Amino acid sequence: MVTELANEKSAYSSALRDLMKVSGEPSWLRELRGSSFDQFERVGFPGVEQEEWKYTNVALIKRTNFTPVVNSNGTALSKRNGLAPFIYDETRDSTFVFVNGIFRDDLSSCNGLSGVVALDLNDALQISEYERVIRASLERNADGDNNGFELLNTALFAGGLFVKIPRGVNLSTPIQLQFVSEPVKGESPAAAFPRVLIVGEENSAATIIESYRATAEGVYLTNAIVDIVLDEGARFQHYKVQRESAGASHIATTRADLGPKASYDTTTINFGAALSRHDIHVTMDHEGASCSVDGLYMVEGSQHTDTHSVIDHRQPHCTSRQLYKGILDGKSRAVFNGKVFVRHGAQQTDAQQTNKNLLLSSEAQIDTKPQLEIYADDVKCTHGAAVGQLEPDELFYLESRGINPALAKNMLTYGFAGEVIEKIQIESIRRELDEAVLNRLHSDLTIDV
Amino acid sequence: MLEIRNLHASVDGNEILKGINLTINKGEVHAIMGPNGSGKSTLAKVLAGHPSYEVTGGEVLYYGKNLLDMSPDERAREGVFMAFQYPVEVPGVSNAQFLRLAYNEKQKHLGQEELDPLEFKDLLKEKAALVEMDASFMTRSVNEGFSGGEKKRNEILQMAVLDPKLSVLDETDSGLDIDALRIVAGGVNKLHDPEKAVIVVTHYQRLLNYIVPDFVHVLSAGRIVKEGGKELALELEERGYDWLKNGANKHTAAPVAS
């Protein structure tokens, strides 16, 4: 145990030493990396004794001897080779590719994006205007009660991306952030630390697709942070599609700060990874902001998925909608913890939260905890959670039309997921989900009409 | 086509069917009537293979094969169809997708050609006309938000698409206004031919004005207590069911199903 701990620390701390050698990073960032790492060493990875991690045990991550990827290394991928299956039709010319967390300009295609600033974080830091914004974001978040994963990301992220949609720009082409995991030759399993900051200036509009895939099955860790800062009147859609390899651990934090009258609509899809944890935190600290924070998790076998969501109404006249649906089969386990805060003075808040789960097996397990904390008196808030199984009468109905039981089960499961899927505005993602949900049991099936 | 012999069935340990005997030949239309709780819907569901109903005795032969050995989906692919009293809503799956899937499953089973979406669209259009259903129903989720009458018409549309040999209509008239009743019955009549048989399960006589039965069987307390021709339905309309409940002479007035 002592040895393991020493290994773990040495791999991470030697990665930090490597990063510190990189020339050109501002001193404040070096300090921030150092202090984050010190804090990480103090608190370590979260344990099940912590309320927020009660149902999600990351002991395996703690035990595994990961090699942090902090430098761009050789890749078998090229624009023509290996990437195509991961790129959506809508984003052929607007995709930013990351390999093991490192942004790869050479693999990215952004001809379809004009009027957008997209720079390697290191390059963006050389420009004082952007440096200010990046610093404000990194340091602001460093003040919070970050967990060990977030601290480690801040200490070790390398080759992140800075995206800015300038004032008034209404981007019709969606932007894809494609995170690809690729085994590193001769090394222990890779740990990737993707880091992205997206800024939407006043009255800008954009759609972001954040997608995680692997080139091969295997064990690795993704530990990602994506920060989104929206100025007044910005309107963003954000899709996160997590289809990591079956052996992977995926830990991700999404933080969105909404300006006055800004709107942020997000849908998170969780299908992959052995263990996944998503912390999504939407802060509405200005009047008139609105968000919808939806999601679909579908797990089977011994997969474990955990969503911790915080929607924070800090000012009056903000609206939030949340619909999370879960489909669990085999011995899988899911956790949904959704907090909605309505702070003192956040009058006229309108918040709705729903979490519904479908258990397809008697051994699957869901822990759901919708949580509403209201400190204002003139608000409209509802929340609820449900856990159910497929209705035998519905299955019989489909079977009585000649549809075999496995397919009938899939069709009803698909129907359950439909409420989330049909709201998705990117057709390729919808198709991908149709296929994934309907073909879950790999029954022979084509049903497009 | 169908031979039901001394059929016993129970649900949750309560015996509902207590020895049903019934023979149905191709080309025939049979009505099963009876008071509430007599077991007529149970009979329909047992024929379709509903998992909540346990067969505790007897046998059912369908073209000489043991129907009770087949799973519900096998029965359907072999040509048995039940129109539900309460059709189920399947959100997220369009009517057209559902019907094509069901149709192709059957075609595959019979070794016949499957249809692609475009070919199927033509077939669907033709069948939908039989029950006067608008094209907009095809893109909507199966039965979701359909009125009672629309759901029943959708059942008959499914029957038209799947082209069953034996159709069992379970209280298809319940909740239908007179116009919908005429449309639904018209669809059933147009689909009927000498190679097929229909079992109409109903509490009331009025559906039988439109779908005219060759034979009427009256169920009471899980047994057939009276059999006759279409006149029997009229007599029931007039006299109610009470006079039959105490086991009146089973055969009067009309021919008996052979």
Side-chain angles (χ1 to χ4, degrees), chain A residues 284-303:
Chain A
M284 292 184 284
D285 204 3
H286 298 274
E287 286 197 32
S290 65
C291 64
S292 77
V293 182
D294 296 345
L296 174 68
Y297 43 88
M298 187 165 80
V299 280
E300 58 188 7
S302 55
Q303 280 182 287

Side-chain angles (χ1 to χ4, degrees), chain A residues 72 75 77-79 83 95-99 101-111 113 117-121 123 159-162 178:
Chain A
S72 183
T75 173
L77 293 165
S78 67
K79 276 191 191 178
L83 278 176
T95 295
F96 298 98
V97 174
F98 300 70
V99 178
I102 311 281
F103 171 57
R104 297 292 297 251
D105 195 28
D106 54 329
L107 299 177
S108 300
S109 308
C110 36
N111 294 339
L113 294 173
V117 175
L119 293 168
D120 191 306
L121 262 181
D123 297 336
L161 185 70
F162 172 72
Q178 178 57 54

Side-chain angles (χ1 to χ4, degrees), chain A residues 184-236:
Chain A
V184 180
K185 279 199 191 80
E187 300 256 17
S188 64
F193 300 94
R195 183 90 186 208
V196 177
L197 170 61
I198 300 167
V199 175
E201 289 191 338
E202 249 176 82
N203 296 319
S204 62
T207 298
I208 311 288
I209 304 169
E210 178 190 355
S211 160
Y212 294 85
R213 302 289 288 264
T215 58
E217 287 300 310
V219 175
Y220 59 86
L221 168 67
T222 298
N223 177 8
I225 297 181
V226 173
D227 284 314
I228 295 170
V229 180
L230 301 185
D231 290 346
E232 180 163 2
R235 301 177 311 283
F236 270 53

Side-chain angles (χ1 to χ4, degrees), chain B residues 196-245:
Chain B
K196 295 174 183 165
V198 180
I199 299 175
V200 183
V201 173
T202 180
H203 186 87
Y204 300 104
Q205 186 270 339
R206 67 172 191 164
L207 178 63
L208 305 180
N209 287 335
Y210 299 95
I211 304 172
V212 180
D214 301 302
F215 305 96
V216 175
H217 314 269
V218 183
L219 246 66
S220 180
R223 290 191 183 87
I224 293 176
V225 294
K226 193 164 181 66
E227 297 182 308
K230 61 183 177 197
E231 313 76 25
L232 178 54
L234 290 168
E235 192 179 355
L236 289 169
E237 183 75 3
E238 214 166 278
R239 297 177 65 186
Y241 288 110
D242 278 349
W243 62 285
L244 289 169
K245 279 185 178 168

Side-chain angles (χ1 to χ4, degrees), chain A residues 325 391-408 410-419 422 434 438 443-449, chain B residues 45 48-52 72-74 76-77 80-84 87-94 96-98 100-102 105 108 117 142-143 154-155 158 162:
Chain A
K325 287 200 159 188
E391 291 290 330
D393 277 340
E394 296 177 4
L395 281 169
F396 175 63
Y397 185 67
L398 298 185
E399 288 169 37
S400 78
R401 300 304 181 243
I403 293 169
N404 72 59
L407 185 49
N410 277 7
M411 287 178 81
L412 293 177
T413 303
Y414 174 78
F416 173 82
E419 207 180 341
E422 67 200 15
D434 285 359
L438 275 168
S443 45
D444 175 25
L445 171 69
T446 41
I447 109 167
D448 50 318
V449 161
Chain B
K45 284 172 180 149
H50 194 292
S52 301
D73 53 313
E74 282 171 338
R77 293 192 293 266
V80 177
F81 178 89
M82 179 174 83
F84 280 52
V88 175
E89 298 189 2
V90 190
V93 178
S94 82
Q97 285 175 320
F98 168 62
R100 187 166 81 88
L101 203 60
E105 290 280 305
K108 217 182 321 184
V142 179
N143 292 329
N154 205 26
E155 293 294 285
Q158 292 174 29
L162 295 174

